[in-house]
């Protein structure tokens, strides 16, 4: 029988109703009591790294989870992480960079409704997560939710209430679960031992454009952060109206040695700065382009890269090197 380590972090799945709304209360052992059938799938040990609403999670928590996996890696065949859905895609992306090419599955799951409720997706999602973690072809970091297995670098929360909360962006689902059976479509690259990383850089900001946005907010972000992700429109670009100062802000960022990454607020298909003049002229300014990566993955990848190097050439090289299928298009 396979040995799985369940890592509890909180979220709705572990929440109970309090006077001021849902709040994580149950630990991993209590969650397991709701799904006794898992005993026939695998043997499970439990560890609780935190018990928080994932809104409260920080990059330091990603590192705590990654260290927990590393410390127990040899003793287990796979890992199931119960997690809040709100920032699960960020954690999944970050873990994809902190633990690379793992031959053992690292499966995140959670729920839209607490496990103690009569109508809940918790029990199905948790049971599916264990089933998937025990399946022969499972590897790497993924999210198991509502019967879908989504790559950690490609997941995005797209619904706030429905059980179908997550989608795989710009990449097919890895597998689906039907009545306890795994139908695996795609295998992930794996090595004998994963590459573990133990550094994360936290000083990363994001600016989302709206029509008429003032470049002052980009100036603020450039002064405040070491790297700024700009979520622009369509395939990407910056306003170049006579009174907008975006292009001079970008030039200033370059001179200050700050990193700018251009991405899009459009859900699917990614950026392409080559298409329009509003984007094309930025390419000479040393900014990086996210292409088909999700914003969650850009955040995780920058946090990982800036934890390793501040050399601009090395940063660009690593940013454009695909990891866990996070990037298919590179120009
Ligand atoms: N606010 C919760 C969390 O992310 C939502 C959930 O788990 O579904 O922790």
């Amino acid at each position: 029988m396979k040995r799985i380590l369940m890592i509890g972090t909180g979220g709705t799945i572990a929440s109970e109703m309090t006077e001021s709304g849902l709040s994580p209360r149950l630990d991993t052992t209590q969650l397991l009591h709701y799904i006794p059938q898992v005993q026939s799938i695998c043997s499970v040990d439990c560890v609780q790294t935190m018990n928080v609403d994932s809104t409260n999670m920080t990059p330091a928590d990603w590192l705590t989870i990654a260290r927990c996996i590393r410390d127990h890696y040899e003793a287990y065949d796979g890992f199931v992480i119960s997690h809040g859905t709100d920032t699960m895609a960020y954690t999944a992306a970050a873990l994809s960079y902190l633990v690379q090419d793992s031959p053992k599955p690292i499966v995140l799951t959670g729920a839209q409704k607490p496990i103690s409720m009569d109508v809940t997706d918790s029990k199905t999602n948790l049971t599916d997560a264990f089933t998937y973690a025990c399946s022969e072809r499972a590897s790497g970091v993924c999210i198991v939710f509502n019967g879908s297995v989504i790559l950690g670098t490609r997941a995005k929360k797209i619904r706030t209430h429905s059980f179908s909360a997550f989608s795989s962006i710009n990449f097919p689902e890895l597998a689906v679960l039907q009545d306890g059976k795994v139908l695996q479509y795609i295998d992930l690259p794996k090595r004998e031992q994963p590459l573990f990383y133990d550094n994360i850089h936290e000083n990363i900001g994001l600016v989302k454009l709206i029509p008429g946005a003032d470049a002052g907010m980009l100036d603020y972000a450039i002064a405040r952060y070491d790297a700024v992700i700009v979520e622009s429109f369509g395939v990407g670009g910056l306003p170049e109206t006579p009174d907008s100062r975006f292009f001079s802000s970008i030039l200033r960022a370059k001179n200050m040695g700050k990193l700018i990454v251009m991405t899009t607020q459009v859900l699917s298909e990614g950026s392409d700065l080559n298409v329009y003049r509003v984007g094309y002229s930025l390419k000479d300014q040393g900014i990086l382009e996210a292409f088909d990566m999700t914003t969650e993955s850009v955040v995780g990848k920058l946090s990982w890269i800036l934890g390793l190097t501040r050399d601009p050439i090395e940063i660009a090289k690593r940013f454009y090197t695909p990891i866990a299928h996070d990037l298919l298009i590179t120009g």
Side-chain angles (χ1 to χ4, degrees), residues 11-12 53-54 84-86 111-112:
T12 294
D53 189 303
S54 74
T85 60
D86 289 345
Q112 295 279 59

Side-chain angles (χ1 to χ4, degrees), residues 56 58-59 63 75 91 146 151 178 183 197 208 228 254 303 324:
N56 293 328
T58 64
L63 217 44
T91 303
N146 195 44
L151 189 57
Q178 278 170 4
L183 307 181
Y197 292 89
K208 181 169 182 166
V228 180
K254 187 180 173 188
S303 307

Side-chain angles (χ1 to χ4, degrees), residues 35-186:
I35 49 163
Q37 66 276 17
V38 162
Q39 287 167 16
S40 64
I41 303 174
C42 52
S43 98
V44 184
D45 289 334
C46 291
V47 54
Q48 193 80 37
T49 50
M50 58 210 71
N51 210 357
V52 295
D53 189 303
S54 74
T55 301
N56 293 328
M57 279 214 178
T58 64
D61 294 319
W62 305 337
L63 217 44
T64 301
I65 299 168
R67 284 183 184 145
C68 178
I69 295 167
R70 186 195 57 198
D71 292 347
H72 296 93
Y73 199 79
E74 290 312 319
Y76 293 93
D77 300 306
F79 302 85
V80 168
I81 303 166
S82 56
H83 194 292
T85 60
D86 289 345
T87 66
M88 190 188 295
Y90 286 93
T91 303
L95 290 177
S96 305
Y97 300 107
L98 293 172
V99 188
Q100 293 181 17
D101 295 341
S102 169
K104 299 180 182 180
I106 298 165
V107 181
L108 293 103
T109 196
Q112 295 279 59
K113 297 282 176 221
I115 205 161
S116 55
M117 283 191 177
D118 289 342
V119 178
T120 177
D121 49 341
S122 297
K123 293 174 204 167
T124 307
N125 287 347
L126 208 47
T127 309
D128 280 352
F130 282 107
T131 303
Y132 189 67
C134 293
S135 69
E136 283 315 315
R137 285 165 61 190
S139 68
V141 179
C142 63
I143 289 180
V144 168
F145 212 95
N146 195 44
S148 294
V149 183
I150 299 171
L151 189 57
T153 54
R154 293 294 186 170
K156 190 180 278 288
K157 186 170 180 180
I158 57 152
R159 291 191 185 88
T160 52
H161 294 291
S162 306
F163 288 174
S164 52
F166 287 90
S167 186
S168 184
I169 305 297
N170 300 331
F171 202 79
E173 292 180 357
L174 298 179
V176 294
L177 285 116
Q178 278 170 4
D179 301 327
K181 287 197 179 60
V182 176
L183 307 181
Q184 183 88 27
Y185 303 130
I186 298 170

